[in-house]
Each structure stands twice: as C-alpha cells, then as structure tokens.
Amino acid sequence: MKSRVIALLLVAALCLTALLNGCTSKPATTEPATTEPATTEPATTEPAATEPEPENEGPVYGGVLKVTINTDATSLDAMMTSSADNQVPATHIFETALFPDAGGQIWPGVCDYTFDGEVLTLTVRDGVTFHNGDPVTIDDVYASSQRWLANVKAAQKQIGDKSDGFTVDGDSIVVHFNQPAPLALQTLAQYDQGLYIMPKAICEKYPDSDINVESDLIGTGPYKFVEHKADQYVRVARYDGYVPTANEGATGFAKPKMAYCDEIYFYSVNDKTTRITGVQTGAYDIGVGVPSNMLAEMGSDPNLRLEFSDLGIMACAIFNNEKGPCTDKNLRNAILACLDMDEMMLAAQGDASLYRLNPSYMMTSSAWFTDESLGKYNNRNLDKAKEYLAASSYKGETLRFVTTNAYDYFYNTALRVAQFAGEIGITIDVQSYDNATLKEYRSNPDMFDIFSGGLTAKADPTQIAFMDDSWAGFWKNEKKTELLDTMSSTTDFDTRYAAWVDLQKLIYEEVPNITFGERINPIVCRANVHDIFETTNKYYWNTWKDAE
C-alpha cells in the first residue's frame, strides 16, 4: 500500500505522478483480446510522502468497509444499468463472463475461454456458484447471454450482428463469427453492461426489465446482497462460497478477488464536503473527489492518506443536435471558439494540479490518443467566434444549459461556458437540477439546448457514448457511421486508428459536443485502509483494513 501523505505536495510533483500508468499483464494461458493495443488505464497514483509508512504484514480479513457513492442506487442490475452509482455496488454482487485487466487484456472470469478470431468458446470456471449455493451451469450462461443480446445495444452490435449467436455445445457455449469482431471480448468483459452472469430463472423472470425484487439479486461475485435502505446505503457481505480466479499476475478487474472485508456499506452522500469530512471523522473509510480547498487539510491529517487517481472522466458540454438553436454547427463552433480550456478546467477542478488538457475523447495514456482538433481545441479567438456566430441562424434566443450542482465539474463549467459565450452575445440560462432530473431532461430534446456531461474512459473509441445515434445529444452523421463501420470491420489496429483520427476530425468539424479536459481525482482514505481500486472504475473487493 502506498505511503501516507503527510503534507500537500508541490503542483509539479502531483502532475508528474498523475501521469504514471498502471502496468498491464498479458494472460499466460489465454489468447489476448485483439491484435490492437488496448487502452492503458493509469494506476492510482499519489505523490511521495515526507515520511515512510511502517510496513504492513500484509492483507488481513475482517472488518467493515464504509465507502461513499454520490447518489442512491436506483438499480443493482449490473447488466441493465449504466449509472456509476448503481454500478459500483452492483459489480460486487454480479460478475461478467470474462474480466478485463487494467490494460484492457481479457482474462477468465465466471468462464474460461478460447478465441481464435472466428470461434469463441465459453466454459464455466470450476467451482463457481451463485449466492444461493447453486452451481453455475452453462444453461445459466446461455440464458444470461440471451437477456444481454436482447437489452444491450453493444452486445447486439459487436457480437449478435457479427455471428450466428450463442449455441450450447455440451458443457460449453460456442459463438461462430461470420465477420471480423474486434471488440467481441471487450464487450463481453466490459464493466458497463457486459455479459453479467445470473441464474436462468432470474433471466427468464426479467427478460427486458431491471431486477426489482431484492431477493432476486443473486450473483456470483465476492460479495452478496444484504440490504438496501433507500437514500442511505447498500450493504453487501462476503460470500464465503466464492472461488477466486487463478489469474496470476493480472491487474484491475482480472486480479483475483479476495473479499477481505466482512461487509461493505455503500453510503449515498450527495454533498461533496460531507463525503470528505465524513472520512475525517471516521464516518466513512474512503471518499472520492476531495475539493481542492480541502487538500492541504486532508494531507496534513496523520489519520488520513491522500491518493490521486485518473478516473477517466472528461468534463464536457453536450449540445442538442436534434432540435433547437444548437442544431446549427456554426453556433456550436462559435461557442467552442470562445473557450479557454485552462479556465474551464480550473472551474471544474479548482486547482491546476488536478487536470490535464486533452483535445481527445480518449485518455492521453491510451493507445488511441490523438491531439487532432483542426486547431480548434483551446484556441480562444473571439473574432473567429463572432464570424461563426454571424454565419449561424442564431437570433438571440436564450439557450438552456441544464446541469447539476451535485458535481463541481458540471455546474462550474456550465457557468463558465455561459460567461465566455456571453462575451460575443450568446445568452445562456444555466438551469441546475438534481442529478436524476438532469438525466431525465438530457434524454428529452424538448428540455435542453446544452447539458453537462462526464464522458468516461473506454477501451475503444467506438464505445464512447455519443457514437450511439440515440444517446443524449442525438448526434447523427453519415460519415460518423461510415467511419464506425470501418473500425468495426477489421482487427488491424493501424486501419482502425486512421479511421479514429478521421472521426475525431469530424467531431471537431461538426462540434456535437465539447470536451474540456481530463480530470485527476484526489481520494482520501483512513490511514488503516489499504489497496483501493487501480482502474478508472471503482471497486473494493481487494481493499482491506488493519486488524483492530
């Protein structure tokens, strides 16, 4: 476990450590996911401390871990939900057929696998059981696959449309592909609506809806569901029948899951200051997103430890590309030309050490990173902005920018966009709602012109949310579709990368949305807590606490 941070470090030291990447490991017994480089997710990093922390003897079992999520979990159905506050507790209960490591390589999960590019075989890993004690059978995997194909667009697009479907063959499932499927394994293994394995009876009970009876939350994960008290917490307990994988040397989600703590409480805490001060008082063990004005205080407390993590979140403004004034790309370009991205990210993060500028929609550490922006990113030019505005159909309408103050990087950047755009005569009304209302409004083209977004890191550019025509913002473009088709029809990385560069050029030509930069997240832990997540997604099954 990393050393205790005793004092806040110099900005330069923080920036340097924040650039460090997590190591990637290639499975020894399983073929790699694809022939292309995978996204490398930076490991959780922190500055060196001024004093060494005493060596711990190693992980110990026992204790209760208290962590925070931002809002109450409204669904714990990992296959169906795409909300982070739902996914964090849900992924301790349910597991995918395959697991990705911190670098994007694919390892055995609930299933062992073979894949030669044309035929995929899945076989249930020895010893895997559900939380009710029943062994996982190939019929459960098949039923899960059918529910998955019927409800998850990525599943149908990357596997269903490219194959003859899932077929049971003895104790295995076989998928025969009839065209290249470069993202098949990543789609099966992905955290966000991957192939989560559930009992056949549950799949048949909920063929196209979320699991809504708590007793039906039966997974294979290292923790089993215990209770959910609305607007308070989700509680899970170690599943004593869990059998970890034998993924020696794996990182991230593919690393064997040990379930050190007896129980984990996921407390829903909307107020960011309360989340962090709660760690200071001992009400919680871990808090993510320390406000910049609290870093010094947290860093000087000997009972706490600060870590700095790339959670792979890009602060963005998403335009309504379907209805209203922002359907005019000249207006969208005018707003982009107004923006100083350092000012935008300072508004988002509060300190220059907590962000990095990035014109790409893939992380700077990714093999897919490109700085191509047609010269438009962070190129504030009010004269050019006025030219775009004059060429647009904008007639002085007030643009509705819907956001929430639950996240500084949403609300504060919305205010700065309104300020910058106002300098050339664009009127923006920033409307703040609770997070649930924001999600509702952004899906209705009658309710917004711009909304605040946080696009998350993906293993592949084709998985970015707005590549889906129906995603909030509703960006549809024939050339986009053609380039995505190119990327989905070959496993050759160079061909796929060239198409991605062209696609990013198209994004900066059309400006369906604006990315401001990458966020670096400070995390505060109690000093007796060790080994938190090492990927852009949060998990705590390998976190442990000193014996009391």
Side-chain angles (χ1 to χ4, degrees), residues 99-118:
F99 295 156
D101 69 13
Q105 295 292 338
I106 306 303
W107 297 67
V110 173
C111 298
D112 292 315
Y113 80 96
T114 62
F115 184 47
D116 62 6
E118 295 182 358

Side-chain angles (χ1 to χ4, degrees), residues 185-250:
L185 295 184
Q186 285 90 341
T187 306
L188 283 160
Q190 66 188 16
Y191 173 91
D192 190 1
Q193 298 184 286
L195 177 51
Y196 285 91
I197 304 303
M198 301 170 181
K200 177 182 178 182
I202 300 302
C203 294
E204 293 175 345
K205 183 176 179 179
Y206 303 94
D208 55 7
S209 63
D210 283 13
I211 298 172
N212 57 24
V213 176
E214 291 184 346
S215 60
D216 290 335
L217 294 169
I218 303 168
T220 65
Y223 286 88
K224 60 184 179 181
F225 174 81
V226 177
E227 66 174 331
H228 176 203
K229 287 197 172 183
D231 297 316
Q232 295 186 50
Y233 60 77
V234 173
R235 178 163 69 101
V236 298
R238 181 194 301 116
Y239 174 47
D240 291 331
Y242 185 75
V243 177
T245 64
N247 293 344
E248 182 178 354

Side-chain angles (χ1 to χ4, degrees), residues 27-344:
T29 59
T30 310
E31 296 180 23
T34 68
T35 56
E36 66 198 49
T39 299
T40 301
E41 297 180 348
T44 302
T45 58
E46 64 179 85
T50 56
E51 295 179 11
E53 182 179 350
E55 290 287 335
N56 292 292
E57 293 182 359
V60 296
Y61 285 89
V64 175
L65 185 67
K66 299 168 290 185
V67 304
T68 60
I69 53 181
N70 293 347
T71 59
D72 188 43
T74 57
S75 170
L76 293 175
D77 189 335
M79 184 185 290
M80 304 293 264
T81 184
S82 59
S83 165
D85 290 329
N86 295 339
Q87 290 169 327
V88 175
T91 53
H92 290 70
I93 302 166
F94 296 101
E95 297 181 299
T96 44
L98 306 177
F99 295 156
D101 69 13
Q105 295 292 338
I106 306 303
W107 297 67
V110 173
C111 298
D112 292 315
Y113 80 96
T114 62
F115 184 47
D116 62 6
E118 295 182 358
V119 180
L120 168 68
T121 303
L122 299 174
T123 306
V124 178
R125 183 167 54 85
D126 288 343
V128 181
T129 60
F130 289 113
H131 296 155
N132 60 7
D134 292 342
V136 177
T137 70
I138 204 64
D139 290 335
D140 297 311
V141 177
Y142 178 78
S144 298
S145 73
Q146 299 311 293
R147 182 178 188 247
W148 185 58
L149 287 171
N151 293 282
V152 178
K153 289 183 179 179
Q156 185 60 43
K157 182 177 181 180
Q158 301 300 339
I159 296 179
D161 292 347
K162 297 174 178 291
S163 72
D164 298 329
F166 291 74
T167 302
V168 176
D169 184 3
D171 292 332
S172 299
I173 280 179
V174 178
V175 183
H176 290 272
F177 289 90
N178 49 44
Q179 57 183 291
L183 298 180
L185 295 184
Q186 285 90 341
T187 306
L188 283 160
Q190 66 188 16
Y191 173 91
D192 190 1
Q193 298 184 286
L195 177 51
Y196 285 91
I197 304 303
M198 301 170 181
K200 177 182 178 182
I202 300 302
C203 294
E204 293 175 345
K205 183 176 179 179
Y206 303 94
D208 55 7
S209 63
D210 283 13
I211 298 172
N212 57 24
V213 176
E214 291 184 346
S215 60
D216 290 335
L217 294 169
I218 303 168
T220 65
Y223 286 88
K224 60 184 179 181
F225 174 81
V226 177
E227 66 174 331
H228 176 203
K229 287 197 172 183
D231 297 316
Q232 295 186 50
Y233 60 77
V234 173
R235 178 163 69 101
V236 298
R238 181 194 301 116
Y239 174 47
D240 291 331
Y242 185 75
V243 177
T245 64
N247 293 344
E248 182 178 354
T251 58
F253 278 79
K255 187 175 182 178
K257 302 175 183 179
M258 306 311 296
Y260 290 116
C261 293
D262 295 333
E263 294 185 322
I264 303 176
Y265 282 77
F266 299 91
Y267 287 96
S268 56
V269 186
N270 292 322
D271 183 76
K272 54 187 174 296
T273 301
T274 303
R275 288 197 295 270
I276 304 308
T277 57
V279 179
Q280 194 171 30
T281 64
Y284 315 120
D285 292 310
I286 301 171
V288 179
V290 181
S292 59
N293 62 355
M294 298 178 71
L295 285 173
E297 180 182 359
M298 298 296 107
S300 63
D301 188 331
N303 297 308
L304 306 176
R305 182 179 62 259
L306 276 176
E307 299 189 1
F308 295 85
S309 175
D310 284 340
L311 294 184
I313 299 175
M314 288 77 162
C316 296
I318 315 293
F319 292 108
N320 186 338
N321 292 269
E322 182 170 301
K323 183 179 290 187
C326 291
T327 57
D328 188 325
K329 74 175 183 180
N330 283 311
L331 177 59
R332 303 193 299 262
N333 269 284
I335 294 174
L336 174 58
C338 292
L339 303 183
D340 180 322
M341 296 308 185
D342 273 303
E343 292 295 326
M344 295 302 303

Side-chain angles (χ1 to χ4, degrees), residues 301-503:
D301 188 331
N303 297 308
L304 306 176
R305 182 179 62 259
L306 276 176
E307 299 189 1
F308 295 85
S309 175
D310 284 340
L311 294 184
I313 299 175
M314 288 77 162
C316 296
I318 315 293
F319 292 108
N320 186 338
N321 292 269
E322 182 170 301
K323 183 179 290 187
C326 291
T327 57
D328 188 325
K329 74 175 183 180
N330 283 311
L331 177 59
R332 303 193 299 262
N333 269 284
I335 294 174
L336 174 58
C338 292
L339 303 183
D340 180 322
M341 296 308 185
D342 273 303
E343 292 295 326
M344 295 302 303
M345 290 306 294
L346 278 172
Q349 298 296 92
D351 192 281
S353 66
L354 299 181
Y355 70 85
R356 66 177 64 90
L357 296 185
N358 179 6
S360 184
Y361 291 79
M362 300 297 289
M363 294 179 68
T364 52
S365 58
S366 169
W368 294 98
F369 171 75
T370 171
D371 62 2
E372 180 58 70
S373 71
L374 303 181
K376 294 180 180 180
Y377 178 81
N378 198 30
N379 188 8
R380 175 173 158 84
N381 184 330
L382 294 186
D383 289 337
K384 187 65 175 177
K386 291 174 183 177
E387 288 181 16
Y388 280 122
L389 187 61
S392 77
S393 57
Y394 179 70
K395 303 300 181 184
E397 304 95 322
T398 296
L399 307 182
R400 298 160 299 169
F401 197 141
V402 297
T403 187
T404 178
N405 59 13
Y407 307 108
D408 282 347
Y409 78 98
F410 275 21
Y411 184 68
N412 292 345
T413 54
L415 293 177
R416 291 297 278 147
V417 170
Q419 178 185 346
F420 281 130
E423 295 180 28
I424 63 167
I426 299 173
T427 302
I428 295 179
D429 177 23
V430 176
Q431 302 176 357
S432 181
Y433 302 94
D434 61 74
N435 200 37
T437 302
L438 171 60
K439 289 180 179 179
E440 176 187 347
Y441 281 10
R442 76 181 197 182
S443 298
N444 183 345
D446 292 320
M447 299 305 296
F448 75 96
D449 296 301
I450 314 171
F451 74 84
S452 295
L455 294 174
T456 56
K458 302 297 183 184
D460 190 271
T462 60
Q463 298 171 325
I464 299 170
F466 64 85
M467 297 305 171
D468 181 346
D469 289 355
S470 63
W471 187 75
F474 318 109
W475 182 46
K476 304 175 180 68
N477 183 282
E478 289 185 6
K479 187 174 180 181
K480 178 185 80 166
T481 301
E482 292 173 4
L483 291 167
L484 288 173
D485 287 346
T486 296
M487 296 183 71
S488 297
S489 62
T490 179
T491 59
D492 180 69
F493 176 74
D494 290 341
T495 301
R496 301 186 78 239
Y497 183 80
W500 164 234
V501 172
D502 286 343
L503 182 47

